[in-house]
Amino acid sequence: MDYVQSHTPGEIANVIAGQFGETDIKTITTIVTRYYEQDTWKEDLIFNGESFDLLQDILDDAGELSERAPYEDLVVTEFAEEALK
């Protein structure tokens, strides 16, 4: 989390490229840039309602979401909140 907050999409792509051996660096950089521009990466471990809505928006835009789910029914933050202490 700290790394992606302090590095460019190109730097991030170079670091993770080994995990995607079948994908060229230009494509990886494009994907990382998209995540960066969508503000996908969080600064902490708390998965808040706004982040949950963003995830559902992305899935909906991709045609992968048939129905939106209520945040309160699916997300538990107590463990992440405890870890921050």
Side-chain angles (χ1 to χ4, degrees):
M1 294 177 107
D2 292 338
Y3 187 85
V4 298
Q5 293 299 323
S6 62
H7 290 80
T8 67
E11 292 169 326
I12 297 165
N14 284 323
V15 168
I16 66 171
Q19 301 297 314
F20 304 95
E22 70 285 351
T23 308
D24 64 86
I25 193 67
K26 183 178 178 185
T27 301
I28 295 170
T29 303
T30 298
I31 293 166
V32 171
T33 299
R34 184 179 312 133
Y35 287 157
Y36 184 83
E37 289 172 350
Q38 290 174 331
D39 197 26
T40 300
W41 286 302
K42 297 179 49 49
E43 295 180 18
D44 59 46
L45 297 172
I46 307 299
F47 192 52
N48 61 34
E50 183 178 304
S51 297
F52 187 72
D53 289 341
L54 174 61
L55 175 60
Q56 290 193 93
D57 290 345
I58 292 167
L59 292 170
D60 193 34
D61 289 346
E64 298 296 327
L65 188 65
S66 60
E67 180 180 343
R68 295 184 82 84
Y71 171 83
E72 300 78 20
D73 291 349
L74 295 179
V75 179
V76 176
T77 61
E78 66 185 272
F79 302 108
E81 290 169 1
E82 186 65 29
L84 281 175
K85 293 181 183 177

